[in-house]
């Protein structure tokens, strides 16, 4: 979060930021006489519409409400930063008989703490991060916990090979290069092998129906152990509810249910905007690079945070905002409307192939970050680094794709970025070495890359044998 010394933060700021009922908020920036004006955090945005002279000035008329009073103001630019976890999705119509159910049911957003479920029989619908976290937590006190999943999920551990953090080994430029270069069959096989490296998902009832899709996996270190111990069970989708039970699609039944928790995700919408500004085709977001509405006469609106990737959210939104600011300032221009629409259609085709129809805001982390960084000149030139700074190049290409990489060059360049990249493993390992039994052992990039290179080498060898 960006903080400003003169910003009027509310006295109860920490509690305010955790109030999930306050949903429709956007961050607005306007520059007038070199002064920034802000709408307070507690201001509800009622409408954002084009000014009458928008085609010339690109300005917006913002109508806001505070304490029951509405007021309007003119702003030079708007950044919509409400993200995609806005409106709880509780699909009652998808579960016949739910109206007859006499127990409690609510969305996972309203879950508070596990103590209230002591001795209860609980059904959690949804095998996402929230559903798994809730199920494993209440399983310590509840009598019985069952997770119902429509399509299954990959479940990953935060602790990866040799005990290192998963993202520091998994999200690298080298891995992305192999994934995008290898034939689809080999890439799919390799992906599934990585997902099954900790345990066989088939044995735990977690295997996704289409395991080759790169949908965002679930990160939970406890779920496999809970399933193994019997404190959590996995069932298919609920076919229908009765007054006290749930009947699953496999014909089995969960009886005497006390509570149903719907961990069924969220939807997003922009009720304060005219539909012509941000259009959706079916479930597709029509935004250039997930940020800019392509049909505006002036590029003075940016949507920040409406993407989802297997990578950190804050660096992603940071880079989105950096590019958006350059476009709004006029120091960076967008392609033509035709080129933007063509790019949107092309990217959507790839997303449907990689992530499936239900994940239209999903994107590949490194590929997406490089695209954004390229627009503002912040993308690191790997080849040039290998020629001028091999030590740094090895860490950038084979090591973790950390946010420091996008501070090496371009606007916002940071002199300490190189040192931060080269010492990132020191900072990662230091908190764990509270009992010194030898020097901290960093991962061997060379050995790790040899293991990864064995995949294409094996593929080539098989081809040679077959030929």
């Amino acid at each position: 979060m960006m903080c400003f010394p003169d910003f009027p933060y509310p006295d109860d700021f920490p509690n305010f930021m955790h109030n999930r009922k306050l949903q429709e908020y956007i961050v607005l920036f306007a520059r007038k006489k070199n002064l920034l004006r802000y709408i307070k955090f507690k201001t509800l945005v009622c409408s954002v519409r084009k000014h009458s002279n928008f085609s010339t000035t690109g300005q917006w008329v913002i109508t806001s409400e505070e304490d029951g009073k509405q007021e309007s103001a003119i702003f030079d630019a708007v950044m919509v930063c409400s993200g995609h976890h806005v409106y709880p999705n509780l699909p009652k119509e998808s579960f016949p008989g739910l109206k007859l159910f006499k127990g409690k049911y609510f969305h996972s957003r309203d879950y508070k703490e596990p103590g209230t479920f002591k001795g209860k029989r609980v059904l959690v619908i949804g095998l996402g991060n929230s559903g798994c976290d809730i199920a494993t937590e209440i399983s310590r006190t509840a009598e019985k916990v069952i997770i119902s999943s429509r399509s299954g999920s990959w479940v990953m551990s935060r602790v990866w090979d040799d005990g290192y953090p998963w993202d520091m080994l998994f999200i690298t430029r080298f891995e992305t290069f192999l994934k995008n270069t290898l034939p689809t069959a080999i890439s799919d096989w390799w992906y599934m092998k990585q997902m099954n490296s900790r345990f066989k998902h088939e044995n735990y009832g977690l295997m996704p129906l289409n395991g080759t899709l790169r949908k965002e996996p679930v990160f939970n270190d406890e779920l496999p152990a809970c399933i193994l111990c019997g404190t959590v069970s996995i069932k298919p989708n609920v076919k229908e509810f009765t007054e006290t039970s749930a009947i699953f699609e496999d014909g089995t039944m969960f009886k005497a249910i006390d509570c149903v928790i719907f961990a069924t995700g969220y939807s997003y919408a922009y009720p304060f905007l005219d539909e012509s500004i941000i259009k959706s085709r079916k479930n597709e977001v029509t935004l250039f690079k997930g940020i800019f509405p392509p049909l505006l006469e002036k590029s003075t609106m940016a949507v920040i945070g409406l993407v989802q990737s297997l990578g950190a959210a804050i660096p992603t939104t940071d880079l989105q905002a950096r590019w958006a600011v350059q476009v709004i300032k006029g120091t960076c221009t967008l392609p033509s409307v035709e080129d933007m629409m063509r790019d949107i259609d092309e990217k959507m085709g790839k997303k449907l192939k990689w992530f499936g129809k239900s994940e239209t805001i999903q994107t590949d982390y490194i590929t997406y970050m490089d695209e954004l960084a390229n627009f503002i000149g912040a993308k690191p030139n790997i080849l040039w680094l290998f020629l001028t700074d091999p030590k740094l190049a090895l860490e950038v290409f084979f090591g973790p794709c950390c946010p420091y990489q996008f501070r090496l060059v371009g606007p916002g360049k940071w002199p300490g970025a190189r040192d931060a990249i080269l010492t990132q493993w020191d900072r990662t390992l230091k908190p764990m070495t509270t009992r010194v039994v030898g020097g901290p052992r960093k991962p061997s990039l060379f050995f790790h890359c040899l293991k990864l290179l064995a995949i294409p080498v094996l593929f080539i060898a098989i081809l040679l044998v077959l030929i």
Side-chain angles (χ1 to χ4, degrees):
M1 173 175 293
M2 298 175 65
C3 295
F4 303 91
D6 298 326
F7 188 84
Y9 293 103
D11 296 333
D12 60 340
F13 183 73
N15 293 328
F16 167 75
M17 290 303 293
H18 287 87
N19 186 346
R20 296 181 176 182
K21 293 182 179 180
L22 302 173
Q23 299 169 358
E24 299 170 7
Y25 291 89
I26 57 178
V27 179
L28 306 170
F29 295 86
R31 187 172 294 278
K32 191 173 184 180
K33 296 181 180 179
N34 296 322
L35 294 175
L36 288 176
R37 298 167 56 204
Y38 305 97
I39 286 183
K40 294 181 181 180
F41 274 107
K42 286 190 176 181
T43 301
L44 174 67
V45 176
C46 301
S47 70
V48 178
R49 54 187 175 85
K50 296 178 181 178
H51 194 276
S52 57
N53 60 0
F54 180 84
S55 59
T56 303
T57 64
Q59 291 181 328
W60 300 86
V61 179
I62 313 297
T63 302
S64 59
E65 180 179 320
E66 185 176 7
D67 299 327
K69 297 180 180 180
Q70 288 192 357
E71 63 177 49
S72 296
I74 298 175
F75 288 83
D76 295 319
V78 178
M79 300 180 77
V80 183
C81 308
S82 52
H84 54 90
H85 293 111
V86 184
Y87 301 100
N89 177 37
L90 209 167
K92 299 179 183 179
E93 66 283 352
S94 300
F95 297 93
L98 184 59
K99 293 181 179 180
L100 303 174
F101 181 65
K102 293 183 177 180
K104 291 178 58 179
Y105 67 87
F106 56 86
H107 190 271
S108 59
R109 192 188 71 163
D110 298 317
Y111 171 82
K112 302 301 180 184
E113 51 90 23
T116 56
F117 298 93
K118 185 176 181 179
K120 303 292 186 181
R121 295 169 64 83
V122 184
L123 172 63
V124 178
I125 297 180
L127 193 61
N129 284 296
S130 295
C132 291
D133 286 346
I134 291 172
T136 54
E137 185 171 69
I138 65 178
S139 68
R140 300 164 191 157
T141 58
E143 176 188 327
K144 180 69 175 178
V145 178
I146 288 181
I147 300 177
S148 169
S149 174
R150 180 177 57 185
S151 58
S153 293
W154 294 116
V155 179
M156 292 176 62
S157 172
R158 296 175 179 87
V159 181
W160 205 242
D161 294 345
D162 300 321
Y164 298 111
W166 76 270
D167 53 342
M168 296 187 74
L169 293 183
F170 194 83
I171 304 177
T172 69
R173 293 182 176 276
F174 181 65
E175 290 238 7
T176 300
F177 170 76
L178 287 183
K179 181 186 68 177
N180 295 333
T181 305
L182 290 173
T184 303
I186 300 300
S187 179
D188 289 347
W189 170 81
W190 179 33
Y191 176 76
M192 294 181 68
K193 182 175 177 60
Q194 286 180 305
M195 294 298 102
N196 275 316
S197 61
R198 184 183 174 203
F199 63 93
K200 298 297 182 183
H201 283 65
E202 299 94 325
N203 297 342
Y204 287 73
L206 299 170
M207 182 71 179
L209 294 180
N210 191 339
T212 60
L213 289 179
R214 268 58 165 183
K215 295 171 65 175
E216 183 182 18
V218 172
F219 293 93
N220 193 292
D221 298 277
E222 297 182 60
L223 183 60
C226 289
I227 296 173
L228 198 62
C229 296
T231 56
V232 175
S233 301
I234 307 297
K235 286 290 185 178
N237 194 36
V238 174
K239 182 180 179 180
E240 64 176 315
F241 282 95
T242 66
E243 291 183 350
T244 59
S245 306
I247 302 173
F248 301 104
E249 290 182 345
D250 62 359
T252 58
M253 180 182 294
F254 185 24
K255 299 180 180 180
I257 301 175
D258 295 296
C259 182
V260 179
I261 302 175
F262 285 87
T264 43
Y266 296 80
S267 59
Y268 51 87
Y270 305 102
F272 46 82
L273 282 175
D274 188 274
E275 289 185 358
S276 64
I277 297 175
I278 300 178
K279 292 185 176 180
S280 292
R281 299 171 299 185
K282 298 179 181 178
N283 193 33
E284 301 173 7
V285 178
T286 311
L287 295 170
F288 180 58
K289 303 301 181 185
I291 302 174
F292 293 103
L295 302 180
L296 290 179
E297 305 96 305
K298 295 288 184 178
S299 302
T300 55
M301 173 175 283
V303 179
I304 306 299
L306 194 61
V307 296
Q308 183 169 302
S309 66
L310 191 62
I314 292 178
T316 304
T317 54
D318 172 68
L319 201 49
Q320 286 181 323
R322 288 169 65 188
W323 180 31
V325 168
Q326 297 297 321
V327 172
I328 292 171
K329 287 170 57 180
T331 55
C332 183
T333 57
L334 297 178
S336 66
V337 174
E338 293 77 13
D339 288 341
M340 287 193 286
M341 293 302 297
R342 190 181 303 112
D343 181 83
I344 291 171
D345 291 336
E346 179 184 335
K347 290 293 190 298
M348 188 55 62
K350 291 182 179 179
K351 287 181 180 181
L352 293 174
K353 177 183 177 182
W354 278 84
F355 308 113
K357 293 182 179 180
S358 63
E359 302 291 339
T360 54
I361 62 172
Q362 188 88 7
T363 188
D364 181 84
Y365 179 69
I366 294 179
T367 302
Y368 182 68
M369 295 287 279
D370 278 349
E371 284 183 342
L372 301 187
N374 194 49
F375 281 105
I376 61 174
K379 177 184 176 182
N381 188 325
I382 306 300
L383 180 60
W384 179 250
L385 284 179
F386 271 110
L387 294 174
T388 59
D389 195 342
K391 183 178 180 181
L392 177 62
L394 286 171
E395 194 67 36
V396 169
F397 188 66
F398 294 106
C401 185
C402 59
Y404 306 122
Q405 294 191 10
F406 303 102
R407 294 290 180 176
L408 290 168
V409 294
K413 175 183 177 181
W414 178 45
R418 180 184 186 276
D419 182 65
I421 293 171
L422 295 178
T423 58
Q424 58 189 335
W425 281 108
D426 296 328
R427 293 189 301 279
T428 301
L429 297 175
K430 186 174 179 59
M432 297 185 291
T433 55
T434 53
R435 174 177 174 264
V436 180
V437 291
R441 300 187 60 181
K442 303 177 186 179
S444 172
L445 294 179
F446 179 73
F447 179 71
H448 183 64
C449 293
L450 279 181
K451 290 195 298 182
L452 295 178
L453 283 172
I455 296 169
V457 170
L458 177 63
F459 174 68
I460 294 172
I462 293 172
L463 284 181
L464 292 175
V465 170
L466 293 177
I467 293 174

